[in-house]
Every structure is written in structure tokens, then in C-alpha cells.
Amino acid sequence: MTKTILITGAAGGIGRASVHLFAEKGWRVVGVDRSGFGDTFPKNGLFIQSDISRPEDMEAIFEKAQAFTDSLDALVNNAAMQVAKPLVQTTVEEWDAVMAANLRSVFLGVKLAHPLLKAGGGAIVNVSSVHAVQTSANIAAYAASKGGLLALTRAMAIEFAPDNIRVNAILPGAVDTPMLRAGLGRGHAGHGDMQERLDNLARKTVNGRVGTPGEIAHAIYFLADNEQSSFMTGQAMIVDGGATARLSTE
């Protein structure tokens, strides 16, 4: 039987790569993003342009999803936003916007997706970040939201196990996406042009390079597919080119 997956943040770097990978593997894809996707979205899928940070939009998203499919084999909570500025300069509105997009949307989306996931026993993959475990200056709201997502992953894994729903998180490191490039303005990778900053960042990983969205998509596929990761739940998979393996003092 054809499997069905819902992916938020579907038009971004990791989301777009995941959409195409799952489609190539024969899955039907429901994609959600506040930006448009273009004409390359899989023809047998469903794209919903909507803002997951708004509770009323989330309800409308899952009404459309339920009209499209009777069950979900996987849900990938990938959508996120980042505010890159010092904590003392971060406004309450910015803090709340990050939490709404990165954390509250997962809480509400999982609640709404639960009947569809329970129908056949599915998997939830939460896209967290290495910033949940090791972070840097001027990204506190984002780091806090991704750390909260790890705790939520563990709690959901415990609660949903009786429903045969697995819940895991993936923690990407530096991956060449629009969000990464926008965040390089924080100065942690130097102040040269974009390529210079990317090269500086690459040198800080054990592998000596920045990751690709496709590499993260393959890791997401592993966690989403019950045939590959059936005995994994409540876990955090770090995919960062070895960046968190090296002491900061080295």
C-alpha cells in the first residue's frame, strides 16, 4: 500500500529535499509551507500554503489533510523560524513568534494529526537542531525552542507508544539552507562574503564541509520508515558532520 506523509516547512531547504525524496520512494506527500512551492510538487500529493504558527491555520491544514487521506504513516515537523540577535535585544514579540513556529506548532500539529497516525501506526520526526545541545551567542530563542522540542519528543514517545506511534528527533548541524545563510550574519563564521563564511563554518566540522539538505532528508526518511527504524523511539539523532564531537578548546 502507498504510504502518506505530511511535511511542514516543505518549501525550505530540508523540507523541499524531503518532499522529493519521499516522493521518489513512492510515498504520497502532503506539504505545508507559508511560502509557495512552485510547479515541482509531486502530482499525486497535496500542497497547502499556510502558516503553522497560527492555531486556526493548523486546524484548517488538518481538515484538508483528513479530506485527502484516511491515515498518515509519518509526520515531519520541520517548519521553523530563527531570530539571530542578542537575548537582551530580543523582543517579547520575537520570542513568542519563535516559540509559536518552532514549538507550539508541533504540540498542536501532533494533537491534530494523532487520529491519522493512530489509524495505522505511524512515526513522528521532529526536526530539532544541534543548538538544542550545544549553542552559541545571539540565537537564544531558537536554541530554547529546539531544546524544548527534544523534551517534547521524549514525552510524546512515552504517551504515544500504546498507539503504535514512534516519535524521534533529528538534530541537523550546519546544512546549506536559506536559514543557515541568513544566520551567518551573527558573525560566528567571520565577516567575509557568503562563500567565505560557509568555508569558515565548514572548517569547524570534523568532516570539513557543510551538510546538504539531501543528507538530512535521508536521515529523516530513516526515522520515518517503520521498516528501517522500527525499534527507535524517544531518541535524538545528531547529523552534524562531527561538529559536536570535537571539544571547543581544540
Side-chain angles (χ1 to χ4, degrees):
M1 292 180 63
T2 302
K3 297 178 180 179
T4 305
I5 186 169
L6 190 150
I7 302 172
T8 68
I14 292 171
R16 187 175 291 265
S18 298
V19 166
H20 290 308
L21 177 61
F22 279 90
E24 288 169 10
K25 298 289 187 179
W27 293 50
R28 290 195 309 165
V29 181
V30 179
V32 180
D33 203 293
R34 62 183 179 185
S35 300
F37 195 94
D39 58 6
T40 62
F41 197 82
K43 301 302 181 186
N44 66 338
L46 171 68
F47 180 73
I48 304 169
Q49 188 167 353
S50 193
D51 186 351
I52 51 90
S53 70
R54 296 162 53 92
E56 60 272 26
D57 285 14
M58 287 293 283
E59 292 179 2
I61 287 166
F62 281 94
E63 285 178 5
K64 293 176 182 176
Q66 287 175 333
F68 180 75
T69 182
D70 294 329
S71 64
L72 280 175
D73 296 280
L75 168 67
V76 177
N77 293 304
N78 169 64
M81 71 170 291
Q82 188 180 95
V83 171
K85 62 195 306 185
L87 181 66
V88 295
Q89 295 177 17
T90 302
T91 67
V92 171
E93 291 76 18
E94 288 170 331
W95 179 274
D96 288 347
V98 170
M99 296 302 161
N102 299 3
L103 196 54
R104 188 180 68 190
S105 67
V106 177
F107 150 71
L108 183 55
V110 166
K111 282 184 66 176
L112 294 168
H114 184 263
L116 293 172
L117 290 162
K118 185 179 178 180
I124 297 170
V125 182
N126 295 323
V127 181
S128 181
S129 167
V130 289
H131 283 281
V133 292
Q134 290 180 270
T135 192
S136 53
N138 303 332
I139 199 168
Y142 181 79
S145 71
K146 294 302 187 176
L149 189 53
L150 281 191
L152 183 58
T153 296
R154 291 189 289 269
M156 291 192 298
I158 294 166
E159 289 194 28
F160 295 163
D163 300 323
N164 198 26
I165 299 171
R166 298 182 303 107
V167 189
N168 291 290
I170 185 166
L171 284 64
V175 179
D176 193 358
T177 64
M179 180 181 287
L180 176 83
R181 289 175 177 248
L184 288 178
R186 290 185 290 126
H188 61 296
H191 297 281
D193 62 26
M194 184 55 65
Q195 191 56 54
E196 226 178 312
R197 296 180 193 186
L198 287 169
D199 291 343
N200 289 339
L201 195 59
R203 282 191 286 270
K204 296 182 180 182
T205 70
V206 173
N207 281 5
R209 64 179 180 84
V210 170
T212 68
E215 288 174 313
I216 306 303
H218 278 278
I220 290 171
Y221 183 80
F222 170 77
L223 292 176
D225 186 6
N226 278 328
E227 295 179 10
Q228 298 188 73
S229 55
S230 56
F231 200 49
M232 286 183 67
T233 196
Q235 301 306 305
M237 177 187 286
I238 298 177
V239 186
D240 69 345
T244 54
R246 177 181 286 157
L247 285 170
S248 63
T249 51
E250 292 295 317

